[in-house]
Amino acid sequence: MMLYSSNYMANQLLLAVGLEKIGEPATLENGLHCLRTFLSNELKLKASEFVVVEGSGLSRQNRITPQALLTVLQAFYPHRHLLPQEEITGALVKTGTLRDVYSLAGYFDTERRLCFVIILNQKNNYRNKILGLLQNEFQ
């Protein structure tokens, strides 16, 4: 999922988590309950920091603050090697794209634990340029 993203599979994974944790039937509501519980109880995110309405990531109703996404990245750090490496900067990244919304989150794989989150709500996609500026600043 991290290397070759599939919106359909992401939603199926959410359904599978609900099925595993709560039982039959595999429903969106059960999957969302499990995800929200994990974000609140395990990662200690406040309900005001995220909104999740489906698992594919395609809904504009899904929301997360940059700080909350940094918390997710810190928890995911031991598994960062699952992310693809951005060609120019060498950063380990996950992209997100909706019309007029561009995001990039990941790690500069250095001795220090450097996580970054870029979320742009604009017509032009400058996330890679911003990533280059961040790399110049912090590496």
Side-chain angles (χ1 to χ4, degrees), residues 22-137:
I22 297 176
E24 294 183 5
T27 65
L28 178 61
E29 292 76 23
N30 287 349
L32 289 171
H33 174 76
C34 292
L35 178 56
R36 291 173 184 142
T37 299
F38 174 80
L39 293 172
S40 296
N41 295 350
E42 299 298 321
L43 299 185
K44 306 297 184 208
L45 296 181
K46 297 175 188 159
S48 62
E49 295 180 288
F50 67 91
V51 175
V52 185
V53 299
E54 51 80 46
S56 74
L58 293 176
S59 174
R60 288 185 177 274
Q61 293 176 358
N62 284 343
R63 307 270 182 180
I64 190 164
T65 67
Q67 184 60 48
L69 192 48
L70 277 175
T71 300
V72 172
L73 286 171
Q74 290 165 348
F76 189 77
Y77 187 78
H79 312 287
R80 68 192 180 285
H81 64 279
L82 296 173
L83 294 171
Q85 192 169 39
E86 201 272 334
E87 291 179 24
I88 296 172
T89 64
L92 302 172
V93 298
K94 182 68 181 107
T95 61
T97 306
L98 294 171
R99 183 175 32 90
D100 298 337
V101 180
Y102 305 96
S103 64
L104 191 63
Y107 313 88
F108 290 116
D109 204 17
T110 65
E111 292 179 16
R112 296 180 359 197
R113 184 183 294 196
L114 294 174
C115 306
F116 62 86
V117 173
I118 301 166
I119 301 175
L120 305 172
N121 294 306
Q122 60 190 37
K123 288 190 180 277
N124 297 315
N125 179 6
Y126 294 117
R127 65 185 172 202
N128 288 341
K129 288 182 181 181
I130 294 169
L131 179 63
L133 293 170
L134 286 174
Q135 180 192 35
N136 290 340
E137 184 68 26

